[in-house]
């Protein structure tokens, strides 16, 4: 029994954390649009759900605390309290406190913080209640002499007024709550207006529009009463309508729409469904019988024909075409409403422990390796049946691999949303005005990569907000907008995702960076460095240009962590900075750390993998290779292209083949050639990390196991490209 309760509590904690994440997004959006009723209602619902669920699972302290925040937003929802930056800050603090209560419910200091925040909410309500404020303003304008001479009747009248107002507000609140909790019911409304209804000033379309505001609606007009053109009077109403309405409102609410309608018009309201009734399967004949437009005998006679029932009934003049169309519209409406309910019930996600997903990926990787070995055995044995089985197995394994990888892929926007709160708090703490702009939130990355990106991005955004963006006064002096901008953008680039963090701030102060590096003994005073080399000094451990240590920066911990974390992911980080204009950090991150499409190549007795997404084309290479150098260039289609002789680069001994091959690869910025002995073919590559001994070897990003059990190293195109650039710069 206790195990079941523990599992249920785990589900609650998981759902509560999801709600708190959404709550933060709602609040930050609400700060930008304080009058957005949808966001106000979303905040209220989140609070209400957390409160109810916490009470259900015995988290009474959370339930009591959340009730205060919920009460405040109920007042906001009812228009008695306005949304302000103060309220957003207070509610964000409450949101953080609820998460703290979930994680550390036994901490004694939490109770004190709960009381502080509860009092803050109560004080906010007293200060910002529009009713109290207007009453206080009225009292301030009453002359002192009049106040002293107030009669007992006036005092009693003043005391009774708030009670009357409070009673009215309670009734409205109760009515609204009752309306939200009411079940959906489908009604059939027959509108038969008097011919003179237009002359009385009534507009049927306005009445139908008012019905449409109550819920989902289907409308079918009837044209039976429309006369021929020469008999038509433009001020007469000849139409009638069948309206099918699904709503939570009551029958009395529907009748109130027609309260001012003349007595000669006829409005018939019929309940079609009850809340728990499924009427989506109603047949056309049943609807026509229900509307008393046909009898069961008529239906039975018509069903003997070959044509659709509605057509047959219309041809026999039992019902009109408009009646058939109205019945069909009703049938569609009921079916759509039922399908909508079913979709809402079925649109549920299953949460799977990440360790189980990682295990599944490992097993798929083993299957890929196993299938490669099976194909190798099949080619050795020369068995057609075994080859066919291997091909079928490969097709199924590839489909399983793609499905499993999709399960691991998440939009990077799942972490982008967290940084809106970070930027808001940093701007508040530094006295700056900063706007965060995000692009490409839908870009997908492997779940494990996204988890490891959070800390590097936090450090980079903090750096942009603290060191990059200037104070409003300084920005105005430079002719800039007082509010600075930090842009966070993601986009696909082959097997990588490019993430850029850019700001329109002051840019890097290279003189200050260089002097700090000299003072710290990182470089010599006479050492000459390029601008790029000076910029990269900020990634050195313990490096900081901050004058004093603050809660945001100054300890020299952060940028070195960024480079270390990104490198451990197989990615890279680069900087572009223009003094006075701003700085851009670009992260190149692999899409996944599990399985990639590759090309298997050979150098002597060694095998290597090239990521297929980086490969442009393969050519024959017949030029003599220069001795004592691994990098040179050649003309390819009238374009000079640098290349790396991988035999020389990796110091592989042995005789070269008479004709080698060159694989042209790209790193999105440029192209280089890689000279190899021969290309073997495509290969499904299960990436295995290199051991600590080989982590710093240039040009390699990982390894994989081939079908025969041997190891092939995975080439890092980006690092090889960087080597070529450095050689070009030095030469």
């Amino acid at each position: 029994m206790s195990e079941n309760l523990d599992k249920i509590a785990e589900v609650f904690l998981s759902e509560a954390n999801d709600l708190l994440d959404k709550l933060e997004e709602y609040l930050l959006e609400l700060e930008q649009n304080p009058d957005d009723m949808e966001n106000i209602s979303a905040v209220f619902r989140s609070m209400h759900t957390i409160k109810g669920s916490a009470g259900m699972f015995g988290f009474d302290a959370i339930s009591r605390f959340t009730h205060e925040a919920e009460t405040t937003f109920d007042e906001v929802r009812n228009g008695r309290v306005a949304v302000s930056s103060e309220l957003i800050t207070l509610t964000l603090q409450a949101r953080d406190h609820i998460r703290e209560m979930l994680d550390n419910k036994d901490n004694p200091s939490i109770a004190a913080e709960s009381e502080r925040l509860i009092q803050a909410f109560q004080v906010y309500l007293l200060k910002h209640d529009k009713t109290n404020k207007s009453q206080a303003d009225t009292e301030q304008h009453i002359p002192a002499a009049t106040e002293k001479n107030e009669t007992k009747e006036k005092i009693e009248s003043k005391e009774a007024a708030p009670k009357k107002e409070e009673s009215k507000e309670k009734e409205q609140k109760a009515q609204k709550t009752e309306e939200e909790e009411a079940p959906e019911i489908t009604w059939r409304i027959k509108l038969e207006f008097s011919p003179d209804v237009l002359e009385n000033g009534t507009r049927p379309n306005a009445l139908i529009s008012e019905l449409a505001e109550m819920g989902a609606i289907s409308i079918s007009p009837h044209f039976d009463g429309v006369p021929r053109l020469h008999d038509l009077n433009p001020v007469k109403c000849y139409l009638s309508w069948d309206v099918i309405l699904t709503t939570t409102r009551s029958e009395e609410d529907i009748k109130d729409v027609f309260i001012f309608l003349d007595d000669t018009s006829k409005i018939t309201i019929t309940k079609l469904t009850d809340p728990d009734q499924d009427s989506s399967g109603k047949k056309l004949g049943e609807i026509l019988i229900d509307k008393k437009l046909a009898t069961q005998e008529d239906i039975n006679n018509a069903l003997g024909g070959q044509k659709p029932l509605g057509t047959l009934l219309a041809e026999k003049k039992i019902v009109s075409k408009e009646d058939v169309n109205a019945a069909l519209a009703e049938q569609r409406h009921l079916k759509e409403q039922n399908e909508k309910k079913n979709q809402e019930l079925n649109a549920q996600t299953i949460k799977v422990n990440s360790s189980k997903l990682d295990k599944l990926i490992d097993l798929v990787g083993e299957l890929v390796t196993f299938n490669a070995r099976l194909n190798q055995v099949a080619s050795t044995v020369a068995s057609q049946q075994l080859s066919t089985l291997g091909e079928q197995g490969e097709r199924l394994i590839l489909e399983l691999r793609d499905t499993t990888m999709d399960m691991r892929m998440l939009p990077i926007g799942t972490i982008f949303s967290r940084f809106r709160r970070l930027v808001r708090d940093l701007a508040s703490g530094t006295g700056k005005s900063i706007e965060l702009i995000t692009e490409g939130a839908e870009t997908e990355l492997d779940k494990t990569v996204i988890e490891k990106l959070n800390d590097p991005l936090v450090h980079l955004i903090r750096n942009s907000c603290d060191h990059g963006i200037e104070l409003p006064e300084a920005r105005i002096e430079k002719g800039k907008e007082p509010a600075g901008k930090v842009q966070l953008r993601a986009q696909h680039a082959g097997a990588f995702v490019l993430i850029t963090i850019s700001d329109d701030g002051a840019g890097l102060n290279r003189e200050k960076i260089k002097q700090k590096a000299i003072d710290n003994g990182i470089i010599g005073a006479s050492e000459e460095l390029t601008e790029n080399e000076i910029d990269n000094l900020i990634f050195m451990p313990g490096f900081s240009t901050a004058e004093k240590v603050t809660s945001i920066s100054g300890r020299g911990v952060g940028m070195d962590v960024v480079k270390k974390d990104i490198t451990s992911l197989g990615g890279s980080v680069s900087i572009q900075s223009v003094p006075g204009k701003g700085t851009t950090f670009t992260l190149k991150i692999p899409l996944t750390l599990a399985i990639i499409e590759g090309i298997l190549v050979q150098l002597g007795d060694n095998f290597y993998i090239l990521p297929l997404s980086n490969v442009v084309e393969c050519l024959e290479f017949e030029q003599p290779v220069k001795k004592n150098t691994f990098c040179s260039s050649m003309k390819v289609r009238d374009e000079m292209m640098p290349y790396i002789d991988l035999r020389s680069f990796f110091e592989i001994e042995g005789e070269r083949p008479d004709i080698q091959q060159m694989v042209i690869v790209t790193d999105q910025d440029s192209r280089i050639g890689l000279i190899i002995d021969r290309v073997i073919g495509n290969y499904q590559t299960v990436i295995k990390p290199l051991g600590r001994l080989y982590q710093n070897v240039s040009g390699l990003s990982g390894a994989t196991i081939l079908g025969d059990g041997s190891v092939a190293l995975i080439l890092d195109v980006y690092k090889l490209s960087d080597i070529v650039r450095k050689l070009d710069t030095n030469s």
Side-chain angles (χ1 to χ4, degrees), residues 6-166:
D6 289 341
K7 287 183 180 179
I8 292 172
E10 284 181 14
V11 172
F12 161 69
L13 292 172
S14 175
E15 294 293 340
N17 279 307
D18 289 344
L19 281 170
L20 290 173
D21 288 339
K22 291 180 181 177
L23 178 60
E24 183 174 275
E25 292 181 34
Y26 295 146
L27 289 168
L28 293 173
E29 289 174 8
L30 188 59
E31 188 171 33
Q32 301 299 320
N33 301 291
D35 298 325
D36 190 335
M37 288 306 299
E38 287 189 14
N39 270 326
I40 291 171
S41 297
V43 171
F44 175 80
R45 285 195 303 270
S46 299
M47 292 287 189
H48 183 75
T49 304
I50 293 171
K51 182 193 77 170
S53 301
M56 185 186 303
F57 293 109
F59 294 85
D60 296 330
I62 295 177
S63 181
R64 173 179 169 270
F65 172 76
T66 311
H67 175 71
E68 294 298 329
E70 179 197 18
T71 300
T72 304
F73 269 88
D74 190 31
E75 296 296 295
V76 173
R77 192 175 60 150
N78 291 328
R80 289 191 289 272
V81 172
V83 174
S84 67
S85 181
E86 181 186 353
L87 177 60
I88 298 296
T89 300
L90 185 59
T91 313
L92 285 170
Q93 291 175 1
R95 175 257 180 205
D96 295 342
H97 184 62
I98 294 170
R99 175 156 281 171
E100 185 71 19
M101 295 172 83
L102 290 169
D103 297 337
N104 306 289
K105 61 180 180 180
D106 297 326
N107 192 332
S109 64
I110 285 181
E113 179 66 9
S114 295
E115 292 302 322
R116 184 190 74 79
L117 288 171
I118 287 173
Q119 290 180 12
F121 274 113
Q122 292 172 346
V123 169
Y124 185 87
L125 279 178
L126 289 173
K127 285 169 56 181
H128 295 80
D129 191 304
K130 295 178 181 178
T131 306
N132 290 342
K133 185 178 180 182
S134 62
Q135 181 180 336
D137 290 343
T138 304
E139 290 174 353
Q140 287 175 4
H141 288 85
I142 297 175
T146 307
E147 284 188 44
K148 291 179 182 178
N149 296 326
E150 266 186 336
T151 63
K152 184 178 180 181
E153 289 78 13
K154 287 183 179 179
I155 295 173
E156 289 174 351
S157 175
K158 283 185 68 179
E159 290 176 349
K163 292 181 180 179
K164 184 177 180 181
E165 183 69 24
E166 184 180 351

Side-chain angles (χ1 to χ4, degrees), residues 572-589:
S572 62
V573 55
S574 59
I575 313 171
Q576 296 83 38
S577 183
V578 179
K581 299 292 185 181
T583 304
T584 298
F585 293 91
T586 303
L587 310 181
K588 284 183 178 178
I589 312 294

Side-chain angles (χ1 to χ4, degrees), residues 476-491:
I476 292 172
E477 288 179 5
K478 295 177 182 178
K480 298 182 179 180
E481 294 291 330
K485 290 182 175 62
V486 175
Q487 186 179 57
L488 184 58
R489 185 175 63 173
Q491 64 184 70

Side-chain angles (χ1 to χ4, degrees), residues 397-668:
I397 290 170
L398 289 179
E399 190 173 343
L400 177 62
R401 182 206 68 177
D402 292 340
T403 303
T404 310
M405 291 302 299
D406 284 342
M407 291 167 62
R408 283 170 61 107
M409 302 299 277
L410 293 173
I412 199 169
T414 54
I415 59 171
F416 274 15
S417 57
R418 305 175 192 172
F419 303 131
R420 294 177 63 190
R421 171 76 183 279
L422 174 67
V423 170
R424 180 186 186 275
D425 292 345
L426 289 171
S428 177
T430 56
K432 299 175 181 178
S433 179
I434 306 174
E435 178 187 359
L436 177 66
I437 302 169
T438 59
E439 292 182 17
E442 70 284 353
T443 306
E444 290 191 334
L445 261 174
D446 191 298
K447 173 185 70 70
T448 54
V449 178
I450 286 181
E451 289 171 354
K452 294 178 181 179
L453 271 179
N454 185 67
D455 287 348
L457 290 177
V458 166
H459 287 304
L460 290 171
I461 290 172
R462 288 167 70 96
N463 183 80
S464 292
C465 293
D466 187 36
H467 294 287
I469 302 296
E470 312 96 327
L471 289 167
E473 304 81 37
R475 292 181 62 85
I476 292 172
E477 288 179 5
K478 295 177 182 178
K480 298 182 179 180
E481 294 291 330
K485 290 182 175 62
V486 175
Q487 186 179 57
L488 184 58
R489 185 175 63 173
Q491 64 184 70
H492 282 113
F496 283 70
V497 166
L498 298 182
I499 302 174
T500 57
I501 303 94
S502 57
D503 63 71
D504 62 349
L508 295 180
N509 188 332
R510 294 190 174 98
E511 291 182 6
K512 190 175 183 180
I513 291 172
K514 186 176 180 180
Q515 187 58 49
K516 194 74 173 181
I518 294 171
D519 295 342
N520 291 349
I522 297 174
I523 60 172
S526 60
E527 195 169 343
E528 293 293 330
L529 299 176
T530 64
E531 289 185 351
N532 189 50
E533 289 172 336
I534 294 174
D535 293 346
N536 280 284
L537 288 173
I538 66 174
F539 292 116
M540 299 299 293
F543 189 88
S544 176
T545 57
E547 299 295 338
K548 60 180 180 178
V549 176
T550 67
S551 59
I552 300 175
S553 62
R555 300 185 185 277
V557 179
M559 299 305 287
D560 62 318
V561 174
V562 169
K563 188 160 189 175
K564 182 180 177 183
D565 289 348
I566 298 302
T567 304
S568 69
L569 290 173
S572 62
V573 55
S574 59
I575 313 171
Q576 296 83 38
S577 183
V578 179
K581 299 292 185 181
T583 304
T584 298
F585 293 91
T586 303
L587 310 181
K588 284 183 178 178
I589 312 294
L591 277 174
T592 176
L593 303 179
I595 302 173
I596 62 168
E597 291 277 356
I599 288 183
L600 184 63
V601 300
Q602 187 174 4
L603 285 167
D605 296 330
N606 304 310
F607 295 94
Y608 297 87
I609 298 289
L610 277 167
L612 186 61
S613 58
N614 295 108
V615 175
V616 178
E617 61 179 321
C618 301
L619 305 171
E620 287 189 353
F621 183 79
E622 301 182 33
Q623 293 187 12
V625 178
K626 297 179 181 179
K627 294 183 179 180
N628 303 322
T629 181
F630 60 82
C631 185
S632 186
S633 61
M634 63 177 289
K635 183 172 286 189
V636 178
R637 298 190 183 92
D638 298 327
E639 179 185 350
M640 293 302 295
M641 180 178 296
Y643 67 83
I644 294 179
D645 174 27
L646 292 181
R647 262 186 175 269
S648 301
F649 182 75
F650 289 120
E651 299 180 357
I652 297 173
E653 299 179 352
E655 290 294 326
R656 295 174 181 269
D658 294 334
I659 298 177
Q660 290 183 286
Q661 292 180 304
M662 180 169 72
V663 181
I664 298 177
V665 295
T666 177
D667 65 349
Q668 304 302 321

Side-chain angles (χ1 to χ4, degrees), residues 26 168 174 187 189 203 327 332 336 404 411 436 450 483 507 541 730:
Y26 295 146
K168 183 180 179 183
W187 305 85
I189 307 165
R203 295 292 177 265
R332 285 194 301 271
E336 288 170 1
T404 310
L436 177 66
I450 286 181
N730 294 334

Side-chain angles (χ1 to χ4, degrees), residues 245 324 502:
L245 174 66
V324 173
S502 57

